[in-house]
Amino acid sequence: MKVSIKVNGQLREVDVEPRWLLVHVLREKLGLTGTNVGCDTSQCGACTVLMNGMAVKSCTVLGVQADGADITTIEGLRTDGAYHPVQQAFWDHHGLQCGFCTPGMILTAVDLLTHHGDPNDETIRHGLEGNLCRCTGYENIVRAVRDAADKM
Amino acid sequence: MYPAPFEYHAPASLNEALALMAQNADAKIIAGGHSLLPAMKLRLATPPALIDIGRIADLKGIKDMGEKIAIGALTTHHEVEHSVLLRNACPLLPEVATHIGDRQVRNRGTMGGSLAHADPAADYPAAMLALGATVQVQGSGGSRSIGADELFTGLFSTALAANEILTAIHVPKTDAKGSGVAYAKFPHPASRYAVAGVAVWVSIKDDTVQDIRIGVTGAADHAQRAKRAEDALKGKPMTEDNIAAAAKVASDGLTTIGDIYASADYRAHLVTAMALEALHSAHHRAHGW
Ligand SMILES: Cc1cc2nc3c(=O)[nH]c(=O)nc-3n(C[C@H](O)[C@H](O)[C@H](O)COP(=O)(O)OP(=O)(O)OC[C@H]3O[C@@H](n4cnc5c(N)ncnc54)[C@H](O)[C@@H]3O)c2cc1C
Ligand code: FES
Ligand code: FES
């Protein structure tokens, strides 16, 4: 089946099997390997991308469901050579260790901050419940999101 | 993990979807896909065809209908959570939606999908029972409505026929003076689904209970009313003691389920604990405290 998906601002026409998940389309068809597969069971959030501006787990969306959608992956967050404020804040606050959860964390945080301009720590933690990190203990992640909120 | 192969259809209208269902007897509807796709990836479900209703405009949106509010089946948990109309006139639903899964799940999962799936640990079913909601369904033979009390019939089972689509949910406004609602949930620490969840709608006058409905989810194979607890409070003042006595019988009549995480007895205990919390909050809100 032919689908057309706008990925990071560029319209891409892809031939997919209906059973392919969006994450496979992104990684294997479009070579965008910044989106990770962690659990593959809808739990960990490593595969999170923005679909029409909303954070979704791309291992739980069919590629065909994304036909006509606007997708942003971690590769598309940088604009004009500058990091997105959330990316910069993760750098500044050391909001990562191994980095496996980071693309998903950052994209969920971007969705969160577009809906909450000034979230407190509790709102941030509730907003990131769908993203698991096995390294950091979350403290620096929450700090980074808090800082990004101030700067956005 | 790829699901087993299937044919995919994306109808643009309800009629087109119903026609496709008539032609593909074993096809499954997909809405948000957040219950169905995980099951398909594990090959617990292997439908030969999927009918994606996600592009049908008639199934979207939240509308004010005077005394009631009509919520399109495709309304996401996120949209319920943030609807100003619901927050003002039917605040139980946004409160319940906040408890569902996580942010990404709420962005994709739909109210119609949750109700049609009837997971025994889903959150909305308790609220449907407490609100006395009705769902609108459409089949090739026409439309009908099903009351919440008749909707949930067993484990992952509803009164919907295989060829029917749930199109909308009608909920009453609960913003009248003396009316209070609340939801209390004990989430499974890993999955966030309800180990026990209790939703309450109460209407009081001079602190006496005029009417009350209590919905319980998570505890039995499907969501049910806690009628003994309702009867224990009807016509009585909402004192500390009366609330405690009602909460105590909240799991009476339910066949609570036991699993590796919570025994049947522990679930019954959690129903009482959640009922106590929800009754207190609903009572406070009915007074505007
Ligand atoms: C990680 C995770 C955590 C979750 N946690 C919770 C939680 O805490 N609480 C909770 O309540 N839920 C939870 N869920 C489930 C979530 O709320 C689902 O979105 C919901 O149960 C199903 O809605 P859907 O739109 O995704 O339906 P789908 O998965 O698309 O469909 C589910 C079933 O309903 C049928 N169906 C869908 N729409 C209709 C319709 N309009 N008419 C007729 N049949 C229809 C489908 O054929 C299918 O059988 C969780 C899900 C995940 C992945
Ligand atoms: S890989 Fe998608 S949620 Fe874990
Ligand atoms: S930084 Fe390693 S999983 Fe989060």
Side-chain angles (χ1 to χ4, degrees):
Chain A
M1 252 188 94
K2 284 248 186 309
V3 297
S4 51
I5 310 176
K6 200 169 182 188
V7 183
N8 299 330
Q10 246 187 310
L11 198 64
R12 311 290 295 259
E13 305 263 344
V14 210
D15 200 5
V16 302
E17 255 189 74
R19 65 181 180 144
W20 288 5
L21 299 158
L22 177 59
V23 69
H24 297 134
V25 176
L26 293 170
R27 288 179 60 90
E28 280 149 43
K29 277 280 170 176
L30 301 176
L32 295 168
T33 51
T35 306
N36 290 331
V37 178
C39 63
D40 206 1
T41 55
S42 323
Q43 306 287 330
C44 75
C47 63
T48 301
V49 301
L50 298 182
M51 183 167 172
N52 301 324
M54 313 285 281
V56 304
K57 293 174 178 172
S58 62
C59 75
T60 315
V61 177
L62 296 169
V64 286
Q65 285 179 298
D67 189 16
D70 199 334
I71 303 290
T72 305
T73 68
I74 193 71
E75 289 92 342
L77 268 193
R78 228 169 121 112
T79 41
D80 302 329
Y83 283 131
H84 185 281
V86 178
Q87 287 176 304
Q88 189 60 49
F90 269 68
W91 177 279
D92 293 343
H93 292 269
H94 198 54
L96 62 141
Q97 287 180 22
C98 79
F100 194 80
C101 68
T102 314
M105 273 302 170
I106 288 180
L107 288 159
T108 309
V110 170
D111 173 34
L112 176 71
L113 295 180
T114 50
H115 288 90
H116 296 271
D118 186 22
N120 57 23
D121 283 9
E122 199 190 319
T123 310
I124 294 170
R125 284 177 185 275
H126 181 63
L128 295 178
E129 258 176 7
N131 295 78
L132 304 181
C133 175
R134 305 194 72 170
C135 306
T136 65
Y138 302 99
E139 287 300 327
N140 286 353
I141 292 175
V142 174
R143 240 170 251 152
V145 177
R146 187 54 254 164
D147 183 39
D150 291 340
K151 295 194 170 129
M152 272 168 77
Chain B
M1 284 183 295
Y2 290 99
F6 54 84
E7 262 178 52
Y8 175 80
H9 305 277
S13 71
L14 200 53
N15 282 339
E16 216 183 298
L18 290 167
L20 281 163
M21 285 168 81
Q23 289 156 22
N24 302 268
D26 296 325
K28 265 204 158 304
I29 291 174
I30 182 165
H34 269 52
S35 290
L36 186 54
L37 287 176
M40 286 174 64
K41 285 165 73 177
L42 297 172
R43 311 272 167 127
L44 295 172
T46 52
L50 286 188
I51 299 170
D52 183 355
I53 58 172
R55 292 164 205 275
I56 303 178
D58 286 350
L59 301 180
K60 296 183 184 170
I62 303 176
K63 289 185 213 94
D64 193 335
M65 308 215 304
E67 286 185 354
K68 287 186 175 171
I69 299 169
I71 304 167
L74 284 180
T75 306
T76 61
H77 311 331
H78 172 91
E79 286 160 347
V80 169
E81 192 181 355
H82 293 277
S83 157
V84 175
L85 175 61
L86 288 174
R87 283 186 170 209
N88 290 330
C90 191
L92 181 61
L93 289 180
E95 182 185 356
V96 168
T98 326
H99 285 275
I100 300 177
D102 53 53
R103 189 169 189 88
Q104 293 93 316
V105 170
R106 294 192 291 275
N107 282 345
R108 285 296 291 166
T110 69
M111 194 161 177
S114 175
L115 297 178
H117 192 58
D119 192 301
D123 295 293
Y124 281 137
M128 294 293 105
L129 294 166
L131 291 170
T134 55
V135 300
Q136 311 300 310
V137 305
Q138 178 105 33
S140 45
S143 62
R144 63 183 181 122
S145 60
I146 307 171
D149 286 335
E150 285 78 50
L151 182 62
F152 309 107
T153 53
L155 193 69
F156 298 107
S157 307
T158 67
L160 256 79
N163 60 355
E164 283 179 325
I165 298 180
L166 195 161
T167 56
I169 300 99
H170 289 183
V171 292
K173 290 186 180 171
T174 58
D175 52 355
K177 195 171 173 293
S179 164
V181 292
Y183 182 59
K185 171 180 183 177
F186 189 92
H188 186 287
S191 78
R192 316 306 295 169
Y193 275 94
V195 181
V198 176
V200 172
W201 165 80
V202 66
S203 163
I204 58 170
K205 201 173 167 202
D206 307 325
D207 209 39
T208 299
V209 175
Q210 307 292 302
D211 203 358
I212 182 165
R213 274 192 300 266
I214 305 174
V216 179
T217 192
D221 71 346
H222 66 288
Q224 289 166 57
R225 296 265 296 275
K227 295 227 165 123
R228 288 280 303 277
E230 295 173 3
D231 291 340
L233 275 168
K234 268 183 203 157
K236 298 215 182 108
M238 282 194 96
T239 58
E240 203 63 41
D241 286 350
N242 286 343
I243 288 176
K248 212 170 162 145
V249 296
S251 69
D252 281 21
L254 295 181
T255 310
T256 51
I257 43 180
D259 57 24
I260 188 167
Y261 179 68
S263 68
D265 283 349
Y266 180 50
R267 268 199 171 75
H269 165 75
L270 286 176
V271 170
T272 289
M274 293 304 108
L276 201 58
E277 193 180 319
L279 285 167
H280 273 297
S281 305
H283 179 220
H284 280 221
R285 290 174 189 168
H287 280 287
W289 292 342

